[in-house]
Amino acid sequence: MSVLFDSRFLSSALLIFSVLFPFLTDNQYFLHVLSLAFIWAIAVYGLNLIGGYTGQLSLAHAGFFGVGAYSAGLLMVKGGMNFWPALAAAVLITTVLGFFVGLIALRTKEHFFAIYTLCVGYIIYLIIYKWEGLTEGVRGLIGIPSPAPIGPITFDTPQSQYYLLLFFLVFVIFIMKRIVHSLIGRTYMAIRNSEELAETIGINAMKHKMISFVLSTSFAGLAGALYASFVRFIGPDIAYVNIIFDMLTYLIVGGIGTLSGPLIGTIFIVSVSQSLQFLEELRMLIFGPLLIALIIFYPRGIAGGIQSLLHKRKKTLQIRKGLRQSAAVEEGK
Amino acid sequence: MLRTIGLTKKFGGLTAVDNVDFTIEKGMITAIIGPNGAGKSTFFNLISGLHPPSGGKIFFNNRDITSLKPYQTARLGIARTFQTTHLFEQATVLENVMIGHRLRTKSGIWDAVFKTKRLKREEKAAREKAYEALEFTGLVGTADRLVSDLSQEEKKRTAIALALATEPQIIFLDEPAAGINPEETEKLGQLMKQMVSKGITVCLIEHKMQLVMSLADRIMVLNHGKKIAEGTPDEIKNDDAVIRAYLGGGKSA
Amino acid sequence: MDTFIQQIFNGLTVGSVYSLFALGLTLVYGILHIPNFAHGALYMVGGYITLMMMTHAGLHYVLAIFISVIVVGLLAVLMERVVFYPLRNTPPLQDKIAAIGIMLFLEALIQFIWGAEYRSMPTPFGRVVEFLGITVTTQRILIIAAAVIIMLLLYLFLKKTMTGAAIIAMSQNREGAFLSGINANKTAMLTFFISGALAAVASSISAPINLVFPGMGHLVILKAFVIIIIGGMGSIPGAIIGGYILGFSESLGAAFISNDYKDLIAFILLIMILTLRPKGLFAREVQ
Ligand SMILES: Nc1ncnc2c1ncn2[C@@H]1O[C@H](COP(=O)(O)OP(=O)(O)OP(=O)(O)O)[C@@H](O)[C@H]1O
Ligand SMILES: [Mg+2]
C-alpha cells in the first residue's frame, strides 16, 4: 500500500502513462486538451516558483505569457524565422523583460508587489491590444507555423506535438524538482516564510527573489511561445488578467508551494472545464467559489492535502513502531 | 567589540532610540533592560541593519557597519533572534536550522539544476552545522519534528539554534526567556554561559530581572529611547534613575 | 482655451467617480489591510442592479440607485463575513487570492443572469446646458454634485459620530482600538457596507456616460489601486485627492497626448511612484 504513495514510484508511473497515452486513445480531442494542459502547466510552474515557493504573488505572469507568445509568433510570421530560434529568442526576450520588471517590482513588498505586477500585466495587455502596427491588435496574429522539424523528426501530427510539449513539461518539472529539493529551494522558502528572518541569517533576499522571479518569467515565456506555435493563432486576450486568474486557480486547486500541484491542478481543471464545455465563460461560477473554499479550508490544495495525509500516516506508523519496540524491550526484561 | 556612537532612530515624531553611546565587550554577557516601548528591540534592529538609523554610527570590530543591510551584518558574524519567532512552521526543526548555514555557502541555481559537487558538499556541511547547533541547544531529539508541533520553549531554542548555525561572533537575543517556565529559564541561562565559553559574545534583552542579575556582566538601561544607566548588576540595582524609571512607570511620563 | 476648460470639467467628472470608488477601497484597506481585488466587482454589480431596477422594474433612476446602494452594501458585508473574516489570521497571500475568487464569481454570476453584452443606461439627466462657455450634460453636473455631497456626508459621519470615530480609530491603530473596547466585528462590517455603497453610487452615476458590462470593474479597480497608492494606502483625504489627480491627468492626457493610450497614464504614474518610493507615497513606518 505505502509503495503506491512513494513519490518516485508515482512519478515514474505517471511518466510512463503519459508516454503511452497517445497509444491508448484514438481520440484526437483528448490529446489536444492534454497538450494544452501541458502548456499551461509550464506557465503555472513559473507562477509556483515565485508565488508558491518564494512567496511573491506575481500577477504579471499572464503578461509574460503573452510576451512569449507574441515574440515567438511575430518572429515567425513577420520575421520569417524558424520555430527553434524563435522559441529561444522568445524565451530570451521574456527573460530580459522579466529582469527589468523584477528589478523594480521586487523592491515593493506584499500587497504593493501584487498590485504593481497586476498593473505591469495590464500594461503589457494594453500595449499588445493597442499597438496594431506590430501586433495586429484585436484581429490577432494568424498563421503561426507549427514547430519546425529537427532533422527527420517532424512535429506536424497531434501525437508528435504532444510528445514535444511533454518533453518541455518534464524538463521544467525536472528543473523545479532540482531547485526545490536543494539548498536553493530552501533559501526561497526561507524568504517566503519571513523575509526579515531570512535577511538576518545572511540571505540576500533581493538577489534570490530576482533569480526566482526571472526564472519564473522564462517559464511563462516558454509556455507562451509553445502556445503560439501549438494553437497557431493568438489574440491580446492571452495576456489579459483573466488568464492570470485561471493560472492562479490551477495553482491553488493543485496545491500552491508543492511540486506536483501545478500539474495536478492544471490537468484537473483543464479537463473538467473541457467536459463542462457548455459552461464556457461561466466556469468561474463554479471555480470562483471553489477557489475561495479551498483557500479557507484547504489552502494547500490537492497535493498539499495528500502530503499532510501521508505525513500523518507516517507519524502514526512511527508511533506504532515505537510502541512495538518498547513492548519488545519490556518483554526482554 | 561592538560600539554605538550617538545612535538615534526616529519613527515620524517618535524618537525610539535617542542618542545612545554603548559598548559591548568581547566574551561578556551584556543585558539591555527597560520598560515596555523603551526602544530595546529597535536598538537591536538598528544594529542588525533591519532599520537604517536616523543618526549616529555603529562599529563592529572597528569597522563601520552603520549602513550595512541585515544580510551583510549577518555575514560579518552578527546573529540575532526575534521577540516572536518567525520559524517556518510546516518544516522540520532540522530543515529550519539548516538554512542558517546558507550564508557560508556559494551554490547558486546552476548548482541546483546540475546537482554539482559543490552543492552536495555544501548541503552536507549545512546539515552537519545544523546538527551541531541542535546538539548545542539540546534539540537533537526533535530534529525531525515539525516546528508547529513544538512547545513555545522549544521553538525559542530552535530560533537560537538557527542563529548559532550562522557561526556568529556575537548573538543578540530578544527576550529569550519570555513565556517560559522558571526551570527552563534556568537552563536557558546555562545555555548562554555555554555560548560565551565557546567564544560567542552574548547580548540579550530581558524583562526577567532575576535572570539578568544573575547572568549579565554588564547592563544597560533604556527608557524612552535614552540610555539612563549602565554598569554591573550591583550598580544598576542601586541606581536612582533606574528605580525611578521602573517605579514611576515608563508609560505615564 | 475652450478645450482646456472642457477637459478640466471632464477631469472633475471622472475624478469624482474615481474618488468615490477609491474611498471604499482605502477604508477597507485601512481597517483590515486587505487589498480588496473584488471591489471592482462590487462596482460592476452596482451598475447592473441600478440598470435592471430601471429597465425591468421600471423604477426611477434615483430610486434605482438607492436600492442598488443597499444591495451592494449588504453584498460587501456578506463578503466580509463569509470570506475575509475566516481568513483574518492567515498569510496575506490568501486573502488576496480569495478576493480574486470573489471577483471571478460575481462576474460570472452577472454574466449568467444578464449576459455579456454591453448595455447603456438611460438617465433623466440627459439635457445639455451651457455652462461657463462650455456645453455639458446635466448628468455630468449631477456626478460632480453627488460626489461632493457624499464625500461631505462621509466626512461628517467619520468625524462627528461615535461609529465613525471607531472606524478611524481602528484604521489608525488596531490593537489600541481593541483595547479601548471597540467592537471590531461591527466596525469591519460597517466599513464593508460603506465601501460597497460607495462603489454602487460611483458606478450608477457614471454608467450613463459609460457602459454597463461584466468586465466594467477591471480597469476601475486597477486605477483605484493606483489612486490609493498615490494618496497613501488607508488614507481618506489621500483617496479623494488621488482620485482627482488621476481624473485630471487622464482627461488632459487624452486631449493633448493620445486618447488611445490615456488608460496607460495611471499605470505609468504608478510605476514611477513605486519605483521612487517602493512603500508608496506618504508611507508610515509600521510593523
Ligand atoms: N517599525 C516601527 N514603526 C513605528 N514605530 C515603531 C516601529 N518599531 C518600534 N516602534 C515604536 O518605537 C518604540 C520602541 O519600540 P521597541 O519595540 O523598540 O520597544 P521595546 O523596548 O522592545 O519594548 P518591549 O519591551 O515591549 O519589547 C515604541 O513606541 C514603538 O511603538
Ligand atoms: Mg521589544
Side-chain angles (χ1 to χ4, degrees), chain A residues 51 55 57 59 104 107-108 110-112 114-116 118-120 122-123 126-127 130-131 240-242 245 248-249 252 256 281-282 284-285 288-289 291-292 295-296 299, chain C residues 29 33 35 37 82-83 86-87 92-94 96-98 100-105 108-109 111-112 218-219 222 225 229 233 260-261 263-264 267 270-271 274-275 278-279:
Chain A
L57 183 64
L59 300 177
I104 300 166
R107 292 173 57 207
T108 64
E110 293 186 2
H111 305 320
F112 289 103
I115 295 168
Y116 192 99
L118 184 63
C119 290
V120 169
Y122 202 82
I123 292 177
L126 271 183
I127 292 176
K130 302 264 179 182
W131 194 353
Y240 196 56
V241 280
N242 279 356
F245 298 149
L248 265 180
T249 312
I252 301 291
I256 186 167
E281 304 273 287
L282 300 174
M284 285 304 168
L285 219 46
L291 195 67
I292 297 167
I295 278 289
I296 296 177
Chain C
Y29 185 84
H33 284 261
F37 287 99
V82 176
V83 180
L87 286 174
L93 204 70
Q94 305 196 354
K96 279 199 282 273
I97 294 174
I100 290 171
I102 300 175
M103 185 189 97
L104 296 173
F105 170 70
L109 185 68
Q111 193 174 335
F112 177 66
H218 289 177
L219 207 51
L222 286 170
F225 275 124
I229 287 175
M233 305 270 280
D260 258 5
Y261 288 96
D263 287 335
L264 274 179
F267 305 120
L270 176 88
I271 294 211
L274 283 185
T275 306
K279 289 180 182 164

Side-chain angles (χ1 to χ4, degrees), chain B residues 11-12 14-17 34-43 45 51 83 174-175 205 207 222 251, chain C residues 284-287:
Chain B
F11 289 117
L14 176 96
T15 308
V17 172
N36 288 108
K40 305 180 297 291
S41 299
T42 306
F43 187 70
N45 290 344
H51 294 317
Q83 203 160 343
D174 197 343
E175 303 198 15
I205 292 175
H207 283 296
L222 286 181
K251 297 269 168 191
Chain C
R284 282 179 293 173
E285 273 192 81
V286 276
Q287 267 173 333

